[in-house]
Amino acid sequence: MSGNNTVVRASDSNGFMSAIESIFAEFTAETDAEVKADIESAGKVTRSHVRANSPKDSGGYGRSWGLVTSSRDGHHVAVIKNEKHWQLTHLLEDGHDIKNQYGGSYGRVGPAQPEHHVQRAYEVGKAELERLLGVKL
């Protein structure tokens, strides 16, 4: 808080309420801005982790992870998504059978194993956000 002090006489109940509302509004705005910055920071950590630990073939999949943040009505969200290869995310995260359009395999026997790179990045980002918010509590 900026440290503005308001003097209110005990007989001035409307002034007292106005002062309390003003202090609360200032505190809420400052806290909201800090939480928004922490969510964005944790989102960047999560994006960096998923980029670094994505399966690598040509490298395009890992580089395609992006971060989108939004705020509305006091709710802040950070979304990490693969912007170019979104259709591969579920297959790589959860594993899949390797089949061609005729139902045959591509020379590999058995399923492709799950990578769980998104889940691990989520856990890292969650821990970072808890750390950042815990410092302020």
Side-chain angles (χ1 to χ4, degrees):
M1 300 204 318
S2 62
N4 294 339
N5 294 330
T6 305
V7 177
V8 179
R9 283 180 256 166
S11 63
D12 185 10
S13 62
N14 287 339
F16 179 74
M17 290 306 296
S18 295
I20 295 294
E21 289 172 356
S22 174
I23 291 167
F24 184 71
E26 182 181 338
F27 173 77
T28 302
E30 288 176 9
T31 303
D32 188 60
E34 290 175 6
V35 168
K36 181 179 177 181
D38 288 347
I39 289 172
E40 187 167 347
S41 178
K44 288 177 181 178
V45 168
T46 305
R47 179 187 59 195
S48 295
H49 191 274
V50 77
R51 279 182 175 173
N53 295 294
S54 289
K56 298 186 179 28
D57 184 18
S58 65
Y61 176 75
R63 286 190 303 268
S64 297
W65 289 99
L67 170 64
V68 177
T69 58
S70 65
S71 298
R72 184 170 47 182
D73 299 330
H75 298 280
H76 307 296
V77 178
V79 176
I80 292 83
K81 61 182 182 175
N82 196 302
E83 297 169 348
K84 293 183 182 176
H85 305 283
W86 54 269
Q87 65 276 41
L88 291 177
T89 302
H90 176 76
L91 296 173
L92 293 171
E93 181 71 9
D94 297 326
H96 61 283
D97 288 330
I98 301 173
K99 303 217 178 218
N100 63 20
Q101 63 189 0
Y102 304 109
S105 67
Y106 288 104
R108 288 181 60 179
V109 178
Q113 296 302 312
E115 297 287 338
H116 301 298
H117 58 294
V118 176
Q119 181 63 35
R120 286 191 306 268
Y122 164 78
E123 295 297 333
V124 168
K126 178 181 172 189
E128 177 67 7
L129 183 59
E130 289 172 350
R131 184 189 70 76
L132 291 169
L133 293 176
V135 168
K136 292 175 176 52
L137 295 178

